[in-house]
Amino acid sequence: TQLLEQSPQFLSIQEGENLTVYCNSSSVFSSLQWYRQEPGEGPVLLVTVVTGGEVKKLKRLTFQFGDARKDSSLHITAAQPGDTGLYLCALLQGAQKLVFGQGTRLTINP
Amino acid sequence: SAVISQKPSRDICQRGTSLTIQCQVDSQVTMMFWYRQQPGQSLTLIATANQGSEATYESGFVIDKFPISRPNLTFSTLTVSNMSPEDSSIYLCSVEWGLGRSYGYTFGSGTRLTVV
């Protein structure tokens, strides 16, 4: 059983559309991180959310941490081709073990 | 955050041989982490490397297959031994940084390994 369930696994949309990616767990977690990985590169940290109900904005990206701290979402407004990549949520299991969701492979078509 | 230099960036290897991947960090770090990313998949932690002690391996990964060295606080190597086509993956090293909301992990750019 996956500790973190991400959905959808694949998403292909047109430039200018909005989208939401979800990350869910059956367990409560203290914090959650979102990463984006582009081909040929390692994942790059986008945000860390810590407080239940927290909302963080990063330009056109909005990250939300659920009130019960068991889920999180990433919303992209007016998607652009540069947003294409693999989006990964991750949480800390134990002291320093980072566990990743399966990832959402996003393609934005011009 | 730290900057990691990882090499090689890619390699094509014959089955039965071994490949050593190197990671150099621009600052001293206590722990370095090694991940595997199989084709089209997410990242899975292989092991955690502490300077001056043996690496700690995750379930499904063993030292004989993935020996790790950590000679100092800025450098680590991962060897993929006796390779088979099933070892074809991207291998990444990582370090942690920051605290609280500024806490996260920095990754190397990865080594894309193809075993033929």
Side-chain angles (χ1 to χ4, degrees):
Chain A
T1 302
Q2 192 82 10
L3 186 62
L4 282 174
E5 297 283 345
Q6 259 187 266
S7 62
Q9 289 191 41
F10 300 92
L11 185 58
S12 179
I13 63 172
Q14 293 300 120
E15 182 176 359
E17 294 184 356
N18 303 331
L19 67 108
T20 302
V21 175
Y22 300 93
C23 181
N24 296 290
S25 174
S26 57
S27 305
V28 174
F29 34 88
S30 58
S31 67
L32 185 123
Q33 301 168 26
W34 284 94
Y35 291 81
R36 180 171 66 209
Q37 184 181 22
E38 299 184 33
E41 299 295 328
V44 174
L45 180 68
L46 296 174
V47 75
T48 299
V49 286
V50 176
T51 305
E54 181 176 358
V55 177
K56 295 188 83 167
K57 285 183 178 284
L58 191 66
K59 296 183 181 178
R60 293 176 293 100
L61 278 60
T62 302
F63 303 85
Q64 188 155 7
F65 199 13
D67 291 339
R69 307 213 314 274
K70 296 171 69 172
D71 59 275
S72 181
S73 64
L74 157 60
H75 182 80
I76 301 179
T77 304
Q80 299 176 2
D83 296 326
T84 292
L86 178 66
Y87 288 80
L88 298 153
C89 61
L91 58 80
L92 274 179
Q93 188 178 44
Q96 285 158 306
K97 179 181 175 180
L98 197 61
V99 176
F100 286 88
Q102 311 100 309
T104 294
R105 197 165 296 277
L106 175 64
T107 303
I108 309 300
N109 304 300
Chain B
S1 62
V3 176
I4 301 176
S5 299
Q6 185 174 341
K7 59 182 181 181
S9 58
R10 57 177 62 229
D11 208 341
I12 301 173
C13 300
Q14 296 291 323
R15 67 176 67 202
T17 63
S18 298
L19 175 72
T20 295
I21 301 166
Q22 299 179 5
C23 268
Q24 178 76 50
V25 189
D26 68 345
S27 57
Q28 294 186 341
V29 293
T30 304
M31 294 199 181
M32 294 181 72
F33 304 88
W34 287 97
Y35 287 83
R36 181 176 73 182
Q37 187 173 25
Q38 294 178 298
Q41 303 293 318
S42 185
L43 283 76
T44 300
L45 182 64
I46 297 171
T48 302
N50 246 336
Q51 193 267 334
S53 62
E54 275 201 5
T56 302
Y57 288 82
E58 296 298 310
S59 176
F61 299 97
V62 295
I63 187 170
D64 289 346
K65 176 67 175 176
F66 298 101
I68 287 172
S69 78
R70 185 79 204 277
N72 57 53
L73 290 173
T74 64
F75 187 78
S76 180
T77 68
L78 169 77
T79 299
V80 186
S81 303
N82 189 24
M83 288 183 284
S84 67
E86 292 71 35
D87 295 320
S88 297
S89 293
I90 300 171
Y91 293 85
L92 302 111
C93 61
S94 175
V95 301
E96 60 176 348
W97 56 270
L99 292 169
R101 285 186 176 77
S102 298
Y103 177 81
Y105 286 72
T106 296
F107 288 82
S109 55
T111 296
R112 183 179 293 272
L113 171 62
T114 302
V115 184
V116 297

